[in-house]
Amino acid sequence: MRHASPRHQRGVVTLEYALMLMLGLLPLLLFTFSGVMIMAAQQTLATASAEGARASLRYATPGQRRTAACLAARRSMQWLLQFSRQNPDCSTGGSGPIVVAPAAPCAGLATAQCITVTVSYDYAASPFLPGTATLYGWVMRAPIRSTAVAQLDLGSN
């Protein structure tokens, strides 16, 4: 039986490390990157819903409050809207990724009026990395969403 001399095995270790990098480490890094981006999207949505609810507290008519809430939420989540190529219409209180409900009695306090601002991002429709929507599909069955509620002071307009 003939043994291979070390001279004929040059570069084998380098090739093994290259394959290990491509098939092992690179997918792990891409998976981690997309997870961090999903967390950034969730934080952006939480901020956008809070900013929208805060904007609805300004004294104005109910329609103006809804429009102000939608515009504030849209400003806060602009990078997500641009990435997903969405432009919600705020003239009627929002649509699609931003929904501002009309003033309604607050849960648990029927004498007060509340506005609910809900923002969402559909990761399955616009994944940060191609192919990761299927990978994360078993965890995220619905769009990423955040909701904020503001109790309105209807004392004077």
Side-chain angles (χ1 to χ4, degrees):
M1 178 168 194
R2 187 172 180 215
H3 294 287
S5 67
R7 189 177 65 135
H8 293 298
Q9 292 188 6
R10 262 190 213 156
V12 172
V13 173
T14 304
L15 181 62
E16 288 173 354
Y17 277 113
L19 288 173
M20 185 176 70
L21 177 70
M22 286 186 337
L23 301 176
L25 189 59
L26 197 57
L28 181 63
L29 289 174
L30 292 175
F31 182 71
T32 302
F33 170 76
S34 61
V36 168
M37 291 301 294
I38 290 170
M39 287 175 43
Q42 178 61 50
Q43 184 62 37
T44 298
L45 293 176
T47 301
S49 63
E51 287 295 320
R54 194 172 296 116
S56 71
L57 297 176
R58 295 189 180 101
Y59 292 101
T61 65
Q64 290 170 332
R65 289 176 188 253
R66 289 181 69 199
T67 301
C70 179
L71 290 171
R74 187 170 72 182
R75 274 191 306 273
S76 290
M77 60 184 287
Q78 191 62 42
W79 75 272
L80 280 174
L81 293 172
Q82 286 177 346
F83 185 80
S84 61
R85 294 179 182 88
Q86 293 179 313
N87 189 18
D89 180 21
C90 286
S91 63
T92 60
S95 62
I98 303 172
V99 177
V100 181
C106 298
L109 187 60
T111 58
Q113 294 286 304
C114 287
I115 283 186
T116 302
V117 180
T118 304
V119 294
S120 62
Y121 178 75
D122 189 3
Y123 187 78
S126 301
F128 296 119
L129 293 174
T132 56
T134 305
L135 182 66
Y136 285 113
W138 61 277
V139 177
M140 298 187 313
R141 300 185 193 281
I144 306 168
R145 171 178 331 270
S146 183
T147 303
V149 179
Q151 181 178 335
L152 302 178
D153 180 9
L154 301 174
S156 63
N157 287 343

